[in-house]
Amino acid sequence: MTPTQLRDLLHQRADQVAPHLLGCLVTANGVTIRLTEVEAYAGEGGDPASHAHRGPTRRNASQFGPSGHAYVYFTYGMHYCLNVVCRPEGIGGGVLLRAGEVVDGIDLARERRPGASDRDLARGPARLTVALAVDRSCDGVALFSGGPISLRPGEPPAAAVRTGPRTGVSTAADTPWRFWLDADPTVSPYRKHAPKNRSRTRRGHASESKA
DNA sequence: AGTAGGATAATCT
DNA sequence: GATTATCCTACTG
């Protein structure tokens, strides 16, 4: 796959693009990662798990921009995650970069992720952005123009591509749009969505007000 | 091995 | 006010 072929590929739907990103190389801030795990998110209509499902907002605006740019979002009050925007401008869609193997700049990655084993340096979407030092300031940047983040093809992966449900999503939990390289140690463990029980106004709380 | 709870803030209802 | 495309720590077996 040539860089031009990769760029043209990104006009397609996220679920068609995603498997081809496995084995590709992402470089940012002195660290290069070979992608081993990604997830596809479609745009408006049909994919309620996608941030773009209900149309453009300030947060997801870059996902409706031209393909081949970054969509970086902030979540859980502390984590950044990096997507590659798909589809032509005006249509939402993207591929979440979930995990990979650090193939260059490993000393920098180790500094950014103190205490982590080499295997865990980019094993998870928020870990990957820490290793690459990517945050919201990278939202919307082009990936093929010599900017802070660049994406290019790598060697075709020897391992088979496997698919399954996406990690941690609360809707469309059975859509098999997670793609990873079989038996690769840097692929993150699958976790299903864990709903939090934060409603404590339920028991023995309101009725105590006497005394 | 696996599971449970907490951290922490933008976004959405 | 509830939820979240997550991760870390601490516990149980």
Side-chain angles (χ1 to χ4, degrees), chain A residues 60 86 97 167 178 193:
Chain A
N60 68 20
C86 302
L97 307 186
T167 303
R178 176 174 179 246
H193 178 70

Side-chain angles (χ1 to χ4, degrees), chain A residues 40-41 46-50 53 164-178 190 193:
Chain A
Y41 289 88
D47 186 13
S50 169
H53 181 232
R166 292 173 289 187
T167 303
V169 296
S170 58
T171 56
D174 46 354
T175 303
W177 280 3
R178 176 174 179 246
Y190 174 77
H193 178 70

Side-chain angles (χ1 to χ4, degrees), chain A residues 174-188:
Chain A
D174 46 354
T175 303
W177 280 3
R178 176 174 179 246
F179 301 82
W180 68 94
L181 295 179
D182 187 36
D184 193 294
T186 64
V187 172
S188 72

